[in-house]
Amino acid sequence: MGNLQTFVPGMVLCDRYELASVLGRGVMGQVWQARDLSLERPVAVKAVAAELLAVPSSREAAPARFHPRRPFLVPQGPRPV
């Protein structure tokens, strides 16, 4: 698996998404069960492997891999709770 920033249960991303547990792992990254603290509902958060976003062409193509009506967030860094 690629280089991933260390994510842990309880970590809050973008002051909004609290990570709960890993739902799956793969070459592209991890998918976490999380909670949207603003809307108070469960969500899934995909953590993309850093090397996939390191190359400009890959970084520009990444949002196209996700549903067009779903936000694509690039957190500035996680904040532990």
Side-chain angles (χ1 to χ4, degrees):
M1 181 166 55
N3 294 332
L4 285 174
Q5 185 167 359
T6 302
F7 294 101
V8 295
M11 183 175 283
V12 176
L13 303 176
C14 299
D15 294 321
R16 182 169 180 173
Y17 303 101
E18 183 177 9
L19 302 179
S21 61
V22 175
L23 294 173
R25 290 184 171 95
V27 176
M28 289 186 59
Q30 301 174 331
V31 178
W32 281 80
Q33 178 179 347
R35 180 147 188 89
D36 183 325
L37 300 174
S38 179
L39 298 177
E40 298 182 357
R41 67 178 188 177
V43 296
V45 172
K46 184 167 191 172
V48 179
E51 67 236 16
L52 294 177
L53 300 177
V55 178
S57 60
S58 295
R59 187 173 45 248
E60 292 165 7
R65 296 181 151 271
F66 298 91
H67 192 285
R69 294 187 183 174
R70 302 292 188 269
F72 180 77
L73 304 174
V74 180
Q76 297 303 309
R79 290 181 35 161
V81 174

